[in-house]
Amino acid sequence: MFDGYDSCSEDTSSSSSSEESEEEAAPLPSSLPIIKNNGQVYTYPDGKSGMATCEMCGMVGVRDAFYSKTKRFCSVSCSRSYSSNSKKASILARLQVTGKPPTKKAKVLQKQPLVAKLAAYAQYQATLQNQAKTKSAAVSTEGFNWGNYINSNSFIAAPVTCFKHAPMGTCWGDISENVRVEVPNTDCSLPTKVFWIAGIVKLAGYNALLRYEGFENDSGLDFWYSICGSDIHPVGWCAASGKPLVPPRTIQHKYTNWKAFLVKRLTGAKTLPPDFSQKVSESMQYPFKPCMRVEVVDKRHLCRTRVAVVESVIGGRLRLVYEESEDRTDDFWCHMHSPLIHHIGWSRSIGHRFKRSDITKKQDGHFDTPPHLFAKVKEVDQSGEWFKEGMKLEAIDPLNLSTICVATIRKVLADGFLMIGIDGSEAADGSDWFCYHATSPSIFPVGFCEINMIELTPPRGYTKLPFKWFDYLRETGSIAAPVKLFNKDVPNHGFRVGMKLEAVDLMEPRLICVATVTRIIHRLLRIHFDGWEEEYDQWVDCESPDLYPVGWCQLTGYQLQPPASQSSRESQSGSSKQKKKTKSQQYKGHKKMTTLQLKEELIDGEDYSFLQGASDQESNGSANFYIKQEP
């Protein structure tokens, strides 16, 4: 047991009972703190070292870390308890010598010698361990475990740096394999929490597969732990906090000089920044608070917005309750950076439809959210060539996110916002039009799906299949929206096909599910919900605030929906799955799909040659994946 880590000079060697690995740790990013060599290590003049046994509680630990000059006790409390018991024994002896009858308390002390106390204590610890094992088994069978899921299938998770809106997304730094940390030692039967040093073997989002120092290539006791958890610390934290470092019981006799072993293993290695926990805490502070009022899309009529009140905030996700909901059950979930929420007065300022509330005045405690808290949209110049009503384009259907459909601009609003309708599925009153900004990554120029080998959903009832844009534009007397008006920026997002993450089911936005990236088209990601059919997949932008790293739900306390097994899908056919289908039917259902052939088309006499996009792989930089050739 150590009171933290003491480093020593490079010529310090460790004495071990087994051959120590001489492999050097892989070089780690320089931005993380380096565990330095400061030449401070304490040794006894008589050369004594190794393990010792506490005379009070019987705990076995490293002799160097024991208390008192003779190193008889593992802690100050044990030393004081032993001294207190000795005094009581002395008093009892004096009482017996004087012939006075012993008190009731003295009789109890006589009946419970130190050996008996230790035996009772050992039995108590065994009971605690059995309870812990039972509890652990219950968690592993009843709950979803990301670590087991990733290990058993050799999955790879998207790194935290892919999610700029998530906690630590912009300040994750260079945390990677081989970084050392101090974590609780679970391979121990002590009554108090003790720590030991572990190295990161593998990262999966916020979670890390850790291995205690001293196990070398033995993965038998590897365990998953959240890097952002409250019990994980940089090396040196125990020394600064006065916490004991105790080697795992499985290997406690492997080395006779644990301090020298740690010095040799850790000098020059990397650890977490000293303010890491503070950064985690700061990144989980959110400006939105309960009782704030916002304008949010009306989930029953997408063409308009309504006033809603923030009911709760979890990890930056807002549960909004529509202001007119008397029982507060009419709610809507979204992230605070969602393009679906706006400040009070936004709808009027751009000419968007708005449902006025029947409530004549604000309820007590409710107040308007400051406008600066909302996500900013890119400014656009509408004075020159711009979108016009009736222009055709391709757009993700917000009522069926697995499809990209033939769409039409129905109304041009202020500040670059557009009202868009899905051809062949529009309501007569336009109640299913939806608002996208001109820079939205969810709208595309004519031919985007064809050039990127994506199935395009034609208008409902359109019989001339396969669908061809040239014929459709001529038949409808329409023109395509100019290619140059669309957003072509592609960030270096870092996603790869096959990466795991946690994603919102946007058809049921209160649910966050285990998901996989199955396709990447520039900045567009195809998200598959593990265990469900492909018809429930969703097209999502790489910077969507509805995507989260592995471990986000655990970190924030949000409930994660595990993958659906075949049996559970069948059993849920009348519940959750049926609910999804019911909702889809409400939204006009799935459209029939057709695959188009990649070719050049002449549209309105102009030659549009498209540069084919990078399909199913990451694209970096500002890719011009659709190019209009000037005559």
Side-chain angles (χ1 to χ4, degrees):
M1 182 179 72
F2 296 99
D3 285 327
Y5 163 68
D6 292 322
S7 58
C8 67
S9 58
E10 292 183 357
D11 59 353
T12 303
S13 60
S14 63
S15 174
S16 66
S17 57
S18 61
E19 184 178 357
E20 179 180 346
S21 173
E22 298 296 334
E23 295 181 359
E24 294 292 334
L28 292 165
S30 58
S31 61
L32 291 178
I34 298 175
I35 303 171
K36 296 183 179 180
N37 187 331
N38 57 24
Q40 296 177 358
V41 67
Y42 178 80
T43 56
Y44 290 106
D46 58 3
K48 292 183 179 180
S49 62
M51 308 302 290
T53 302
C54 178
E55 296 184 13
M56 179 61 196
C57 68
M59 187 198 77
V60 178
V62 179
R63 178 182 176 84
D64 287 347
F66 270 48
Y67 288 83
S68 79
K69 293 182 179 180
T70 55
K71 303 300 178 183
R72 298 167 57 194
F73 308 105
C74 67
S75 64
V76 174
S77 59
C78 280
S79 177
R80 291 175 178 173
S81 298
Y82 187 89
S83 176
S84 176
N85 288 342
S86 298
K87 291 179 180 179
K88 292 175 182 177
S90 175
I91 293 173
L92 288 174
R94 287 198 299 271
L95 288 174
Q96 290 176 352
V97 170
T98 58
K100 295 182 180 180
T103 62
K104 184 176 181 180
K105 185 175 182 179
K107 291 180 179 180
V108 172
L109 288 172
Q110 283 181 313
K111 292 179 180 179
Q112 292 187 358
L114 182 59
V115 175
K117 290 180 180 179
L118 292 178
Y121 177 77
Q123 184 177 1
Y124 169 73
Q125 288 299 319
T127 303
L128 289 181
Q129 288 182 6
N130 291 333
Q131 291 176 350
K133 290 179 180 178
T134 303
K135 184 177 180 181
S136 176
V139 171
S140 62
T141 56
E142 296 177 4
F144 174 73
N145 187 302
W146 262 118
N148 294 339
Y149 190 59
I150 289 176
N151 279 347
S152 60
N153 299 279
S154 299
F155 290 140
I156 298 176
V160 174
T161 52
C162 290
F163 310 88
K164 305 303 181 186
H165 59 281
M168 300 298 292
T170 58
C171 53
W172 187 250
D174 298 312
I175 298 175
S176 59
E177 288 78 6
N178 296 320
V179 169
R180 305 309 207 283
V181 293
E182 293 179 352
V183 291
N185 178 4
T186 57
D187 184 24
C188 183
S189 59
L190 301 179
T192 59
K193 182 186 295 185
V194 294
F195 293 79
W196 190 242
I197 297 171
I200 297 177
V201 177
K202 182 177 181 179
L203 276 174
Y206 292 117
N207 298 336
L209 183 63
L210 300 178
R211 181 175 300 168
Y212 288 125
E213 283 295 335
F215 278 87
E216 298 174 356
N217 296 324
D218 182 2
S219 61
L221 282 184
D222 288 2
F223 59 99
W224 287 91
Y225 216 85
S226 174
I227 291 292
C228 297
S230 59
D231 270 340
I232 192 166
H233 308 280
V235 172
W237 177 85
C238 284
S241 305
K243 302 293 183 180
L245 279 174
V246 179
R249 181 174 50 185
T250 304
I251 58 170
Q252 66 180 7
H253 297 295
K254 187 175 182 179
Y255 298 98
T256 57
N257 191 336
W258 278 103
K259 183 175 290 186
F261 166 80
L262 287 180
V263 168
K264 187 172 184 178
R265 288 285 294 171
L266 300 182
T267 300
K270 301 288 171 54
T271 188
L272 298 177
D275 60 345
F276 185 77
S277 61
Q278 180 182 349
K279 288 183 177 180
V280 172
S281 178
E282 291 174 352
S283 68
M284 296 182 68
Q285 302 299 315
Y286 308 103
F288 281 79
K289 306 297 179 184
C291 296
M292 284 184 171
R293 300 171 76 241
V294 301
E295 288 185 10
V296 63
V297 64
D298 186 339
K299 64 183 181 182
R300 292 181 179 82
H301 300 279
L302 298 185
C303 66
R304 69 187 185 189
T305 57
R306 297 172 60 184
V307 174
V309 178
V310 177
E311 180 74 12
S312 60
V313 182
I314 302 178
R317 299 201 76 222
L318 313 177
R319 179 178 179 259
L320 303 172
V321 176
Y322 291 114
E323 198 168 45
E324 294 176 305
S325 176
E326 295 181 358
D327 59 0
R328 310 193 70 77
T329 59
D330 191 7
D331 61 358
F332 184 82
W333 281 92
C334 68
H335 193 271
M336 64 182 184
H337 294 156
S338 170
L340 300 177
I341 60 172
H342 311 276
H343 62 85
I344 298 296
W346 172 84
S347 297
R348 174 182 293 182
S349 68
I350 69 164
H352 194 282
R353 289 187 188 179
F354 176 72
K355 181 185 178 183
R356 294 186 179 277
S357 174
D358 293 336
I359 301 175
T360 57
K361 62 179 181 179
K362 299 178 186 176
Q363 298 182 15
D364 292 340
H366 294 177
F367 58 99
D368 296 350
T369 305
H372 71 272
L373 297 184
F374 295 88
K376 301 295 186 296
V377 294
K378 185 178 180 180
E379 293 185 3
V380 295
D381 182 11
Q382 297 183 224
S383 61
E385 186 177 8
W386 192 242
F387 293 100
K388 296 179 181 179
E389 291 184 16
M391 283 182 172
K392 299 294 182 181
L393 69 163
E394 298 174 4
I396 297 176
D397 184 352
L399 305 181
N400 186 7
L401 294 161
S402 66
T403 62
I404 299 178
C405 307
V406 174
T408 303
I409 297 174
R410 293 304 180 187
K411 188 176 181 181
V412 179
L413 308 178
D415 296 342
F417 288 95
L418 310 169
M419 295 302 296
I420 295 174
I422 300 297
D423 286 20
S425 301
E426 297 177 68
D429 59 355
S431 60
D432 56 356
W433 296 352
F434 48 95
C435 185
Y436 278 143
H437 193 263
T439 60
S440 169
S442 298
I443 60 174
F444 318 95
V446 164
F448 172 82
C449 285
E450 186 177 5
I451 202 73
N452 289 292
M453 307 301 290
I454 301 174
E455 295 178 272
L456 177 69
T457 301
R460 176 178 295 179
Y462 190 77
T463 57
K464 294 185 179 181
L465 301 177
F467 177 85
K468 293 184 178 181
W469 265 114
F470 179 78
D471 294 337
Y472 185 69
L473 290 175
R474 182 177 56 189
E475 293 167 5
T476 58
S478 306
I479 63 173
V483 175
K484 65 181 181 181
L485 299 181
F486 292 85
N487 179 15
K488 295 180 284 292
D489 294 337
V490 181
N492 184 10
H493 48 68
F495 286 102
R496 299 287 188 276
V497 171
M499 282 182 169
K500 296 293 179 182
L501 68 161
E502 298 176 3
V504 176
D505 179 355
L506 293 170
M507 301 306 292
E508 292 284 353
R510 64 184 177 83
L511 302 179
I512 297 183
C513 312
V514 174
T516 307
V517 177
T518 57
R519 286 196 72 182
I520 301 177
I521 309 295
H522 308 294
R523 63 181 300 146
L524 194 62
L525 309 180
R526 181 79 170 179
I527 301 299
H528 174 73
F529 297 105
D530 289 19
W532 292 96
E533 293 85 353
E534 291 184 2
E535 63 179 303
Y536 298 108
D537 290 1
Q538 296 177 359
W539 288 108
V540 181
D541 182 61
C542 65
E543 294 182 342
S544 169
D546 295 307
L547 303 178
Y548 303 99
V550 165
W552 181 89
C553 284
Q554 177 187 355
L555 177 64
T556 61
Y558 204 94
Q559 183 177 355
L560 177 66
Q561 304 298 316
S565 62
Q566 180 65 32
S567 58
S568 64
R569 288 199 303 268
E570 293 174 353
S571 64
Q572 293 174 0
S573 60
S575 55
S576 61
K577 185 178 176 182
Q578 187 63 31
K579 184 183 295 185
K580 279 191 173 185
K581 289 192 173 181
T582 301
K583 189 170 184 179
S584 295
Q585 290 165 2
Q586 176 186 350
Y587 296 151
K588 309 258 191 266
H590 297 286
K591 285 78 174 177
K592 187 176 181 181
M593 293 177 161
T594 180
T595 304
L596 304 180
Q597 299 297 322
L598 178 63
K599 60 184 296 186
E600 293 182 0
E601 296 282 5
L602 286 176
I603 300 177
D604 281 329
E606 294 183 305
D607 182 14
Y608 281 76
S609 297
F610 299 99
L611 178 64
Q612 185 170 3
S615 179
D616 298 332
Q617 61 184 357
E618 180 190 13
S619 298
N620 298 332
S622 298
N624 292 318
F625 46 90
Y626 11 73
I627 300 178
K628 176 183 176 182
Q629 290 184 347
E630 298 296 340

